[in-house]
Amino acid sequence: MTGYLGSYATLGLLLLASVLFFVVAFSANRVLRPARPADPPGKRTSYECGLDPVGADWAQMQIRYYVYAYLYVLFAVEAVFLFPWAVVFDRPGFGLVTVVEMAVFVAVLALGILYAWRRNILRWT
């Protein structure tokens, strides 16, 4: 398929094949399934780690989980920023400037973790 509309024809054939696959899969499912699917007792009850659910359906989440998640994301982003810095550091003309910039970046993050540590935010109770 060449020419101006060749790529559109390829796209149209791909879309047609995907719709055909979808229709065949769902038709096969309808033909091959049992006539009356079983509905045993307890099938529609909620499942929680093999235990019967007890209590209300709403529980309050502790804020410390969000703090740990936030700190993880913060230091994961720091690790992502360290890789390009390591690549650029080796290039000529970037030596001292790059070290100072990264030292400031790591120092700000270190101050943040020191603050969290001093305020006992990282202590698991």
Side-chain angles (χ1 to χ4, degrees):
M1 293 185 201
T2 60
Y4 181 71
L5 296 176
S7 58
Y8 290 112
T10 304
L11 178 65
L13 286 175
L14 182 64
L15 287 174
L16 181 68
S18 62
V19 168
L20 184 66
F21 179 77
F22 178 80
V23 169
V24 167
F26 274 85
S27 299
N29 182 27
R30 184 167 294 270
V31 169
L32 297 175
R33 74 175 184 178
R36 293 194 58 181
D39 199 9
K43 181 177 180 178
R44 301 195 191 279
T45 60
S46 58
Y47 178 77
E48 241 178 79
C49 302
L51 302 172
D52 290 331
V54 177
D57 59 347
W58 185 80
Q60 190 172 8
M61 189 68 132
Q62 301 238 352
I63 190 67
R64 75 174 63 109
Y65 300 125
Y66 295 111
V67 171
Y68 279 103
Y70 178 71
L71 288 174
Y72 171 76
V73 168
L74 180 74
F75 287 103
V77 168
E78 175 189 6
V80 167
F81 280 130
L82 285 175
F83 287 116
W85 171 77
V87 171
V88 170
F89 179 69
D90 193 24
R91 294 187 182 159
F94 286 99
L96 185 61
V97 174
T98 310
V99 170
V100 170
E101 287 176 355
M102 193 49 64
V104 169
F105 178 69
V106 171
V108 168
L109 289 172
L111 283 174
I113 194 75
L114 181 67
Y115 174 78
W117 182 41
R118 298 282 288 167
R119 300 274 300 185
N120 289 331
I121 293 174
L122 301 177
R123 186 174 309 269
W124 192 266
T125 55

